[in-house]
């Protein structure tokens, strides 16, 4: 297969769709910037390490797929592609999401699954049109509380990371458009597995109840299919002498809890 984009292609300035999939391509030439009418550029399954800086001139581009290449960082030229709606960077070796990504205010889908990301930056909250965020199979151990304000998300996938606790701020998504929150294969402790098994609404409702208890000192965990007292309860207790104080009321009706921990 070709390893370079034929220069003749770059002369077709009216081109709107360009697919160079499994092309054996190691780099993209600067002349690609002449394709100013381009709306779809598919470069997945190549050997690309970067994009040329001149590619930032592709201001009409709406879909860019660079899945399964050799990217160690997000090409900085992407920040100039202000019309982008779908950005697919899955299956690379990305370690960070650079701040300039917040300039892509038309972005509707961002796929960064199967990379080496250790965290999601708060700058993603600037992407107010984002409906789908897939960060599955990375190395993320915690979420920033700011993610909770992204009530415009329809699907948030965090499957296969190292997250043990979801921030209570995620309960804010109950007010929005979320229909899928996938946190499977994380070893979550908060919310507990029984709650996670009941799906997105159950998880967000659990986080809402924890959040309310932080100000009311009343924790209502009734009818949540619990078989044990979640570790979240412990956060409300402070030791004063030999007395544990924190919660005024703990409501556990409608569960199947057979024993209580010693601190209760």
């Amino acid at each position: 297969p070709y390893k370079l984009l034929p220069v003749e292609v770059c002369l077709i300035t009216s081109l709107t769709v360009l697919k160079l999939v499994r092309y054996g391509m190691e780099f993209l030439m600067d002349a690609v910037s002449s394709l100013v009418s381009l709306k779809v550029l598919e470069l997945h399954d190549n050997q690309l390490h970067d994009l040329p800086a001149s590619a930032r001139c592709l201001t009409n581009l709406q879909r860019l797929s660079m899945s399964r290449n050799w990217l160690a960082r997000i090409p900085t030229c992407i920040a100039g592609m202000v019309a982008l709606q779908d950005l697919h960077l899955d299956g690379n070796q990305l370690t960070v999401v650079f701040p300039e990504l917040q300039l892509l205010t038309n972005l509707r889908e961002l796929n960064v699954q199967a990379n080496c990301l250790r965290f999601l930056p708060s700058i993603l909250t600037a992407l107010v049109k984002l409906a789908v965020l897939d960060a599955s199979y990375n190395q993320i151990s915690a979420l920033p509380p700011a993610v909770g304000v992204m009530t415009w998300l329809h699907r948030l996938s965090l499957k296969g990371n190292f997250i043990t606790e979801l921030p209570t701020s995620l309960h804010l998504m109950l007010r929005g458009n979320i229909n899928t929150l996938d946190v499977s294969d994380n070893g979550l402790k908060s919310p507990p597995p029984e709650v996670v098994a009941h799906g997105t609404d159950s998880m967000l409702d659990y986080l809402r109840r924890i959040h309310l208890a932080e100000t009311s000192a009343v924790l209502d965990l009734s009818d949540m299919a619990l078989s044990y007292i979640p570790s979240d309860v412990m956060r409300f207790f402070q030791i004063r002498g030999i007395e544990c104080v924190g919660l005024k009321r703990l409501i556990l009706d409608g569960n199947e809890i057979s024993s209580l921990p010693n601190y209760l």
Side-chain angles (χ1 to χ4, degrees):
Y2 288 107
K3 297 221 179 232
L4 293 175
L5 173 64
V7 68
E8 294 83 4
V9 173
C10 297
L11 300 177
I12 312 173
T13 56
S14 61
L15 200 66
T16 59
V17 177
L18 178 58
K19 297 184 179 182
L20 298 165
V21 178
R22 298 183 183 89
Y23 203 65
M25 190 162 46
E26 298 177 356
F27 65 92
L28 196 62
M29 62 182 62
D30 284 327
V32 72
S33 62
S34 64
L35 301 176
V36 292
S37 300
L38 211 58
K39 292 186 177 181
V40 176
L41 179 57
E42 298 202 355
L43 301 170
H44 51 271
D45 297 289
N46 280 289
Q47 300 168 29
L48 295 169
H49 292 267
D50 204 351
L51 288 178
S54 61
R56 69 183 300 113
C57 296
L58 302 178
T59 55
N60 290 308
L61 199 64
Q62 296 178 8
R63 174 180 170 84
L64 174 62
S65 175
M66 295 191 70
S67 306
R68 296 174 297 281
N69 274 277
W70 293 357
L71 299 176
R73 62 181 179 85
I74 299 177
T76 54
C77 64
I78 288 178
M81 302 174 181
V82 292
L84 267 185
Q85 296 180 15
D86 299 323
L87 178 57
H88 295 260
L89 300 169
D90 48 298
N92 284 282
Q93 294 90 44
L94 303 176
T95 57
V96 295
V97 174
F98 68 96
E100 290 80 1
L101 202 70
Q102 65 187 308
L103 300 176
L104 303 180
T105 53
N106 289 302
L107 207 60
R108 296 182 181 277
E109 181 171 351
L110 175 60
N111 187 341
V112 288
Q113 72 162 295
N115 277 282
C116 304
L117 299 176
R118 296 184 179 274
F119 66 94
L120 290 180
S122 297
I123 57 99
L124 293 177
T125 60
L127 305 178
V128 296
K129 294 184 180 179
L130 196 65
V132 177
L133 174 56
D134 192 342
S136 303
Y137 301 108
N138 278 277
Q139 300 172 20
I140 300 167
S141 59
L143 295 180
V147 172
V149 306
M150 300 177 71
T151 56
W152 48 85
L153 281 175
H154 289 256
R155 180 163 65 88
L156 174 59
S157 182
L158 299 164
K159 181 177 182 179
N161 279 283
F162 304 112
I163 301 167
T164 58
E165 180 178 343
L166 296 181
T168 58
S169 60
L170 283 186
H171 83 275
L172 295 171
M173 290 185 171
L174 283 169
R175 308 173 186 172
N177 301 314
I178 193 77
N179 53 48
T180 302
L181 172 60
D182 189 351
V183 290
S184 55
D185 300 327
N186 268 281
L188 269 181
K189 295 181 179 179
S190 176
E194 294 96 333
V195 175
V196 174
H198 281 77
T200 298
D201 287 346
S202 182
M203 284 188 283
L204 297 180
D205 182 42
Y206 176 89
L207 295 173
R208 179 188 64 83
R209 297 184 191 204
I210 299 293
H211 173 75
L212 289 174
E214 290 170 353
T215 54
S216 69
V218 176
L219 180 54
D220 182 359
L221 294 178
S222 59
D223 302 307
M224 299 226 74
L226 297 172
S227 60
Y228 61 92
I229 304 294
S231 58
D232 285 304
V233 173
M234 187 64 183
R235 77 170 70 177
F236 294 97
F237 287 83
Q238 300 173 351
I239 303 298
R240 294 180 184 172
I242 59 171
E243 182 184 9
C244 292
V245 296
L247 285 177
K248 295 178 181 177
R249 293 181 64 198
L250 175 59
I251 305 170
L252 298 169
D253 299 340
N255 290 291
E256 299 181 2
I257 298 169
S258 58
S259 62
L260 297 178
N262 292 332
Y263 62 82
L264 292 177

